[in-house]
Amino acid sequence: MTAASAVTVKKQHLIDPEICIRCNTCEESCPIDAITHDVNNYVVDDSICNDCMACVPPCPTGAIDNWIQVLSTNTYSVEEQFTWNELPEPQEVPEGVAQDMSEPVEVVPAEALSADEAALTNVANTPFTAAGASIPPWSAAHPYVNWYTHKNPVSATVVGNYRVTDSDTESDIHHIVLDFGDNPMPVLEGQSIAIFPPGNDANGRAHHARQYSIASPRDGERPGYNNLSITVKRVRAGHDSNPVDGVCSNYLCDLQKNDVVKVIGPFGSSFLMPNQPDANIVMICTGTGAAPMRAMTERCRRLTKENKFNGTLMLFFGARTERELPYFGPLMNLPKDFIDVNLALSRSADKPKKYVQDLIRERAHDVMNLLKDSKTCVYVCGLKGMEEGVLSALKDIVTESGRNWEDMHAELKAKGRLHFETY
Ligand code: NAP
């Protein structure tokens, strides 16, 4: 065989740097560490990627979903991809080299298939370790995504910015309301937007956009207005507790009324609420992970007022103290027969330390009754660390009720009834 005849055409898995919002979801969901990043881009290592597709459904923007035609002798290295500002054009194929136009096939989580289907599609051996569903509940409204991208961001005007934690506490959390004027911004509860902080990073490149969950319902922070809200915590320390000022969080928390911000989005097509009037929603959150829960709760509150919602809402909300729990006052004012609120306080002077998973265990009977109901969807948002704790609590209460956790977990994921958004 000559060298020329050994050249083949393939589709290389690449991430579109113009759409990617650098949220790290793909890197976290890749089971074989084929995805990596530098300060500039998230990239796929062609020598490792096996096209298993585990990273594709969780990506909120679809930036991950690109397969570009390349010659097998001329694939793009990780180092090359780090320098890109946009995806390359498909490579030209010299005469005599056969075109292989086959696309990778999207892998359905094995648990969504019967044993026969799984055997047929050969996905039983595919690692798919996501804790939650990659599809929305069946009744969710259809979301718009990527309405505004890096190439065509939209401007929004700050119409409100106030603190929602007590002023003398360490947790400086702000509720920020953005008005989009005449520009459409169609969003659903559970979706997010991303905002560009002004200025450049240490390498002289414009800062990447930072992603925030929307904290208001689809019809606006103020019903009928073209506005939405986000919940932002001022970051003063990194994960290792070293002092570091968050570039975007400080910019946002300092915004004044009438300031203008640059926005892209909306993003997210699975962390969406059911649209049935009799759906039940179990919400589990910590800190600013409350944002999508506020959006869903407010949506249901507005629907209830019009007699269009009569499902059950149960909330598990973790914070250090009551005074550091965002939206504490408004949350406590909600009627008890509208929402079942369970506060897990970890640093309260007069209460034992509790995490949300402790309260889920304490309310095992009621949580289990809801889980058994096919109309119940569960949403978890907040600190990455809570994911394991919440899953373990759910596993324990399901097992103690005499059911098989693996089966129920698989069903919750396959039906779009269990969702995680943790950072
Ligand atoms: P935080 O104040 O640091 O923590 C909130 C509560 O969670 C505290 O009581 C904390 O207890 C507790 N906690 C710590 N580890 C836990 C674990 N393993 N399991 C259960 N509870 C645990 O929270 P935060 O700073 O607001 O962070 C919220 C997270 O949500 C961030 O990671 C953020 O990125 C993410 N998020 C934000 C948005 C948004 O739109 N703003 C959206 C999605 C997700 P301790 O006393 O032990 O600290």
Side-chain angles (χ1 to χ4, degrees):
M1 194 186 286
T2 64
S5 67
V7 178
T8 56
V9 181
K10 60 177 267 179
K11 292 280 177 82
Q12 183 173 352
H13 187 194
L14 298 167
I15 297 175
D16 188 339
E18 288 188 287
I19 296 183
C20 174
I21 50 171
R22 283 84 179 163
C23 62
N24 206 49
T25 307
C26 55
E27 195 168 317
E28 279 169 19
S29 54
C30 178
I32 53 171
D33 293 333
I35 298 179
T36 180
H37 70 278
D38 71 352
V39 290
N40 195 27
N41 284 337
Y42 275 75
V43 301
V44 183
D45 188 333
D46 185 59
S47 66
I48 303 176
C49 178
N50 62 4
D51 291 339
C52 77
M53 306 291 280
C55 59
V56 174
C59 170
T61 65
I64 193 82
D65 204 1
N66 285 285
W67 276 263
I68 303 268
Q69 174 178 284
V70 295
L71 300 179
S72 57
T73 48
N74 199 20
T75 56
Y76 297 108
S77 68
V78 160
E79 288 69 28
E80 262 176 295
Q81 295 176 55
F82 281 149
T83 66
W84 289 351
N85 291 321
E86 59 186 3
L87 283 177
E89 292 295 321
Q91 292 175 7
E92 286 197 11
V93 181
E95 246 176 68
V97 175
Q99 297 247 17
D100 172 11
M101 297 311 288
S102 61
E103 297 273 356
V105 179
E106 180 146 356
V107 176
V108 181
E111 63 268 22
L113 304 173
S114 68
D116 287 346
E117 287 170 327
L120 278 174
T121 52
N122 197 27
V123 297
N125 296 327
T126 307
F128 198 98
T129 53
S134 57
I135 53 167
W138 70 267
S139 64
H142 180 76
Y144 290 94
V145 291
N146 294 324
W147 195 272
Y148 300 100
T149 64
H150 290 67
K151 272 197 177 139
N152 68 327
V154 65
S155 292
T157 306
V158 177
V159 290
N161 182 357
Y162 59 90
R163 188 170 164 146
V164 285
T165 45
D166 278 9
S167 56
D168 58 344
T169 59
E170 204 186 307
S171 302
D172 184 3
I173 300 179
H174 284 236
H175 182 71
I176 300 171
V177 186
L178 302 175
D179 190 287
F180 289 82
D182 292 336
N183 295 308
M185 181 49 108
V187 299
L188 291 174
E189 305 77 15
Q191 285 195 293
S192 56
I193 56 167
I195 300 179
F196 290 93
N200 297 333
D201 63 19
N203 299 306
R205 307 187 71 100
H207 284 300
H208 296 307
R210 309 298 208 271
Q211 197 182 355
Y212 296 92
S213 295
I214 295 161
S216 49
R218 64 190 75 180
D219 56 341
E221 170 72 12
R222 181 170 176 184
Y225 281 62
N226 190 22
N227 60 14
L228 58 77
S229 59
I230 53 174
T231 314
V232 182
K233 180 174 182 180
R234 190 187 290 279
V235 175
R236 289 262 190 239
H239 283 300
D240 51 7
S241 297
N242 281 333
V244 49
D245 280 344
V247 171
C248 200
S249 70
N250 281 278
Y251 161 66
L252 292 173
C253 288
D254 289 337
L255 284 171
Q256 303 294 312
K257 221 171 154 187
N258 294 325
D259 282 347
V260 173
V261 293
K262 205 165 96 174
V263 179
I264 54 176
F267 306 116
S269 51
S270 60
F271 195 106
L272 302 175
M273 63 186 284
N275 244 3
Q276 294 154 274
D278 56 350
N280 309 310
I281 305 180
V282 178
M283 297 169 275
I284 305 163
C285 64
T286 49
T288 54
M293 313 315 182
R294 180 183 183 272
M296 292 187 195
T297 304
E298 184 57 12
R299 168 78 179 159
C300 294
R301 195 188 67 80
R302 290 179 191 177
L303 289 173
T304 302
K305 271 171 66 179
E306 297 170 13
N307 290 323
K308 290 180 180 162
F309 179 78
N310 62 0
T312 297
L313 300 185
M314 190 172 198
L315 172 70
F316 294 92
F317 194 159
R320 297 170 185 184
T321 63
E322 280 177 0
R323 301 169 71 244
E324 292 179 82
L325 190 140
Y327 310 113
F328 179 71
L331 181 60
M332 288 300 121
N333 285 337
L334 292 172
K336 303 273 174 290
D337 59 354
F338 167 67
I339 182 167
D340 180 349
V341 176
N342 300 266
L343 301 184
L345 303 176
S346 58
R347 305 188 198 179
S348 180
D350 55 352
K351 293 193 178 84
K353 178 183 172 109
K354 293 272 165 126
Y355 278 174
V356 282
Q357 50 268 40
D358 300 323
L359 297 192
I360 292 171
R361 285 195 169 86
E362 285 174 22
R363 298 291 309 275
H365 178 72
D366 299 310
V367 174
M368 194 56 217
N369 278 343
L370 286 171
L371 285 180
K372 281 191 289 197
D373 185 341
S374 63
K375 294 192 298 297
T376 301
C377 295
V378 182
Y379 299 86
V380 184
C381 187
L383 296 166
K384 184 84 201 152
M386 72 190 282
E387 202 170 299
E388 196 185 325
V390 167
L391 273 176
S392 148
L394 292 177
K395 179 179 180 176
D396 287 352
I397 64 171
V398 168
T399 310
E400 277 156 26
S401 79
R403 293 209 172 197
N404 180 294
W405 163 245
E406 278 70 32
D407 290 349
M408 180 166 262
H409 189 196
E411 180 174 337
L412 290 171
K413 288 200 279 180
K415 300 267 169 68
R417 291 178 50 207
L418 175 62
H419 294 274
F420 286 84
E421 190 136 305
T422 56
Y423 300 104

